[in-house]
Amino acid sequence: QPPGIRRWRTMSEAQFDAVLKENSVYAKCNTSLNHWGLFVVSGVVMACAPTLIYVSPMFDVLVGESLTQLVGVGLAAAVMLAWAYRSVALQRRVHALATAAPGGASSAKGSTEKVAKKEREEAQAALEKKTADVCCAYALFVVNAAFLSLWLFAAFYLVPKMATNGAVSSNLNHLLAVSTPSLLLAFKGTAIF
């Protein structure tokens, strides 16, 4: 047996997990503070945007009477959307970095040039930064599009159809139509995208 296999069999479970975590692409992918800030701001904007329609004459939710619900549902949905952005971006980033060609063009067959270790590390850092930015933009686009589509479907079709007497209160519509899509995207966003 090769020496690596013998060493693997003699490792404890904790040592094995540490080696996996150290060599994992997932372990290298951390969400920066800038991306978290962008995710939170975008989540607040997207989660509170439907509130403008609910306080309009179309739904006629009174702000004075429903302020707690409007703010509470908006903030909870914003947190869930921020988590969905992060999850989708991280999943896409891990996939992109795992499938990226190691070493870039210098690793092509027939290339006898050796790339300096420092240059290779700089190129890898630049690739990881660019990948993080692209995956952040992707996550913002697809999660926002999905949230708006699901919200429109829930607010104007699904929730009104659930009513047995034909009328659903605007407050209940707001609660269900805003929280359900954000919950779905927060917990199943990586499976959808």
Side-chain angles (χ1 to χ4, degrees):
Q1 290 181 356
I5 291 187
R6 272 185 249 129
R7 190 177 68 207
W8 169 72
R9 289 185 181 194
T10 60
M11 283 184 184
S12 70
E13 188 174 327
Q15 289 172 325
F16 184 70
D17 287 342
V19 169
L20 280 178
K21 188 174 182 180
E22 177 182 315
N23 294 324
S24 169
V25 174
Y26 187 81
K28 296 177 186 175
C29 294
N30 295 324
T31 305
S32 72
L33 237 45
N34 292 339
H35 288 154
W36 269 114
L38 184 61
F39 293 158
V40 169
V41 169
S42 183
V44 168
V45 169
M46 289 305 296
C48 293
T51 303
L52 296 174
I53 293 177
Y54 282 103
V55 298
S56 73
M58 179 185 292
F59 283 99
D60 203 25
V61 173
L62 299 175
V63 176
E65 294 176 4
S66 305
L67 185 62
T68 306
Q69 177 188 339
L70 294 173
V71 171
V73 170
L75 289 178
V79 168
M80 289 183 278
L81 285 174
W83 186 259
Y85 297 136
R86 183 231 177 236
S87 299
V88 171
L90 184 61
Q91 177 193 23
R92 185 57 64 163
R93 186 173 169 197
V94 167
H95 177 71
L97 289 176
T99 58
S106 65
S107 65
K109 290 184 178 182
S111 175
T112 57
E113 295 180 28
K114 294 284 184 179
V115 177
K117 184 177 180 179
K118 184 176 180 180
E119 289 177 8
R120 194 170 48 242
E121 288 173 354
E122 288 173 358
Q124 182 69 23
L127 172 70
E128 289 175 7
K129 183 178 180 339
K130 184 59 88 174
T131 302
D133 292 342
V134 168
C135 292
C136 175
Y138 172 81
L140 288 170
F141 176 75
V142 297
V143 172
N144 286 345
F147 176 75
L148 285 177
S149 300
L150 291 169
W151 172 74
L152 287 171
F153 177 73
F156 294 104
Y157 181 76
L158 190 62
V159 174
K161 289 288 185 187
M162 290 176 20
T164 56
N165 62 357
V168 175
S169 77
S170 298
N171 288 333
L172 180 62
N173 188 316
H174 174 259
L175 178 69
L176 293 175
V178 174
S179 63
T180 304
S182 57
L183 271 171
L184 176 69
L185 292 171
F187 293 109
K188 296 294 182 184
T190 55
I192 296 171
F193 306 110

